[in-house]
């Protein structure tokens, strides 16, 4: 049996240790931010056609999210493009998506189902409007498409929206003055090669793999979209204000451009969700989009253009609260 003084000393030591642990715990509680628990669960991301930039970007982003959000299961959904993407997210059929700002503005203008719930997270890269013809074609402008077979994109795509607007700006009826083919970038190149169409419109980041691959096996040319046409396009007002003049660099499609830069139209893409999405999940998703830019950009060139300085500008959509929290956290 231990002497009484030793037992008393041990009790005092235990009490002192417990008191110290409480003090240290309170000190850590005071000094360390609590934050939200790590996001858990599942989410779906609506992308685009299989051979388009939306899908390629989505596949790489899914890999980055799997690393950053290990307790979240991520599902990709292919789609026809921006218009279908917005409808899916607004209806709760997808949690996140990418869409062009002109498509977003049109969705809001038309007050389509769920439009009030849409929120922005990140302004991403720009899409460039590309009008592709055979190199020996006599089509030199959008107006020259009269009477031709033209692939204009699938009904739910952003390219369909801008193709119709460009033809209207050029004085063409997009239904009656051309023979429109409602197909996507996964089909357009093959039809041009086979002589089953005369031209196709595409809207995507640079370079789009399907166009680059076509240029390496078939002689094609990019039709310039000149300033007067763009001004006429913008004159319609409303959502057309999101279009702007741009230039495709001479090396975007080396074989097709033969060293020449090509004037065209550009429109920004935004990462979209709704007010239903959890703030912690949205904050984490937004952080991964920004942090993975360089990593994804090595494989999907357009991702290199995501810029923290402009990412916050998601007009015409208000920022999601979770995205706001992210931008506040990185504010210098």
């Amino acid at each position: 049996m231990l002497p009484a003084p030793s037992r008393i000393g041990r009790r005092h030591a235990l009490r002192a240790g417990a008191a110290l642990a409480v003090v240290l715990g309170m000190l850590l509680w005071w000094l360390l931010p609590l934050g939200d628990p790590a996001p858990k669960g599942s989410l779906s991301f609506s992308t685009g056609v299989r051979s388009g930039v939306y899908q390629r970007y989505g596949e790489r982003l899914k890999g980055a999210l799997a690393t950053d959000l290990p307790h979240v299961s991520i599902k990709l959904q292919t789609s026809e493009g921006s218009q279908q993407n917005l409808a899916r997210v607004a209806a709760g059929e997808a949690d996140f998506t990418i869409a062009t700002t002109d498509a977003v503005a049109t969705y809001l203008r038309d007050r389509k189902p769920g439009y009030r719930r849409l929120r922005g997270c990140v302004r991403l890269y720009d899409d460039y409007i590309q009008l592709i013809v055979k190199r020996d074609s006599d089509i030199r402008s959008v107006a020259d498409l009269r009477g031709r077979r033209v692939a204009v994109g699938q009904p739910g795509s952003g390219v369909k929206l801008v193709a119709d607007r460009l033809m209207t700006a050029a004085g063409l009826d997009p239904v009656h003055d051309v023979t429109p083919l409602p197909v996507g970038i996964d089909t357009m190149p093959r039809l041009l090669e086979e002589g089953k169409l005369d031209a196709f419109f595409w809207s995507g980041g640079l370079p789009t793999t399907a166009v680059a691959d076509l240029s390496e096996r078939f002689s094609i040319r990019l039709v310039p979209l000149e300033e007067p046409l763009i001004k006429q396009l913008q004159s319609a007002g409303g959502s057309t204000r999101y279009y702007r003049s741009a230039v495709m660099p001479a090396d975007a499609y080396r074989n097709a451009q033969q060293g020449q830069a090509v004037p065209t139209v550009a429109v920004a893409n935004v990462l979209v969700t709704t007010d239903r999405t959890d703030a912690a999940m949205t904050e984490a998703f937004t952080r991964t989009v920004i942090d993975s830019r360089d990593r994804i950009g090595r494989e999907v060139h357009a991702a290199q253009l995501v810029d923290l300085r402009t990412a916050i500008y998601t007009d015409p959509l208000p920022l999601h609260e979770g995205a706001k929290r992210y931008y506040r956290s990185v504010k210098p």
Side-chain angles (χ1 to χ4, degrees):
M1 178 179 294
L2 291 171
S6 297
R7 291 199 300 270
I8 293 171
R10 178 175 291 181
R11 284 199 299 270
H12 284 173
L14 290 172
R15 288 173 182 168
L20 181 60
V22 170
V23 171
L24 288 174
M26 293 181 67
L27 183 61
L28 286 172
W29 176 84
W30 179 262
L31 293 175
L32 296 177
L34 291 177
D36 291 318
K40 298 180 180 179
S42 61
L43 63 84
S44 59
F45 185 19
S46 187
T47 56
V49 296
R50 294 190 182 279
S51 55
V53 175
Y54 282 5
Q55 174 66 11
R56 293 182 62 233
Y57 178 71
E59 289 170 349
R60 275 68 180 178
L61 183 59
K62 179 181 178 181
L65 289 166
T67 299
D68 295 348
L69 305 176
H71 304 297
V72 177
S73 172
I74 302 149
K75 176 186 176 183
L76 298 185
Q77 302 179 60
T78 57
S79 80
E80 295 179 352
S82 291
Q83 297 184 77
Q84 184 178 41
N85 282 343
L86 292 168
R88 277 182 180 171
V89 169
E93 297 170 2
D95 300 297
F96 291 89
T97 195
I98 306 174
T100 53
T101 49
D102 62 322
V104 173
T106 301
Y107 198 94
L108 300 179
R109 181 201 67 191
D110 295 344
R111 296 173 176 263
K112 291 188 175 181
Y115 78 97
R116 293 183 185 275
R117 310 206 71 157
L118 296 177
R119 297 291 185 271
C121 302
V122 183
R123 175 175 172 157
L124 297 167
Y125 55 87
D126 288 344
D127 273 0
Y128 289 77
I129 315 307
Q130 302 159 50
L131 178 54
I132 312 295
V133 298
K134 294 190 299 182
R135 185 172 295 168
D136 60 0
S137 171
D138 60 355
I139 297 171
R140 300 288 171 179
S141 69
V142 175
D144 292 336
L145 295 175
R146 186 182 300 275
R148 307 301 181 98
R149 300 161 300 172
V150 184
V152 295
Q154 295 165 300
S157 67
V159 65
K160 177 67 165 62
L161 185 67
V162 69
D164 285 356
R165 288 175 171 175
L166 279 167
M167 288 188 283
T168 300
L172 301 177
D173 183 316
V175 176
H176 300 106
D177 288 338
V178 303
T179 300
L181 282 74
V183 296
I185 194 63
D186 51 347
T187 305
M188 294 171 176
R190 176 176 57 80
L191 294 179
L192 187 69
E193 282 184 277
E194 294 174 354
K196 295 178 180 177
L197 59 81
D198 301 298
F200 68 82
F201 282 99
W202 173 243
S203 173
L206 296 177
T208 296
T209 301
V211 177
D213 290 347
L214 175 64
S215 72
E216 292 174 4
R217 65 177 186 265
F218 190 70
S219 294
I220 61 172
R221 176 168 48 82
L222 293 161
V223 176
L225 306 177
E226 305 281 4
E227 186 69 27
L229 176 65
I230 298 171
K231 287 184 177 179
Q232 184 62 32
L233 174 68
Q234 295 168 331
S235 70
S239 59
T240 64
R241 73 185 179 89
Y242 293 97
Y243 301 123
R244 69 180 192 281
S245 298
V247 175
M248 281 189 280
D251 62 352
Y253 303 108
R254 293 183 185 276
N255 294 342
Q257 295 175 247
Q258 297 185 312
Q260 299 296 313
V262 178
T264 189
V265 179
V267 60
N269 284 292
V270 289
L271 179 68
V272 180
T273 188
T274 69
D275 59 0
R276 288 183 293 256
T277 310
D278 176 71
M281 181 77 80
T282 304
E283 180 181 7
F285 198 110
T286 302
R287 177 175 287 105
T288 295
V289 168
I290 301 298
D291 289 350
S292 64
R293 181 194 69 176
D294 293 338
R295 193 183 346 156
I296 295 176
R298 287 193 287 269
E299 299 182 60
V300 183
H301 178 76
Q304 296 177 11
L305 304 177
V306 177
D307 190 334
L308 180 59
R309 294 169 297 182
T310 57
I312 196 170
Y313 300 112
T314 58
D315 178 60
L317 290 177
L319 273 173
H320 190 285
E321 183 57 37
K324 287 181 184 178
R325 281 168 35 174
Y326 166 72
Y327 293 118
R328 290 191 194 110
S329 75
V330 295
K331 186 176 181 181

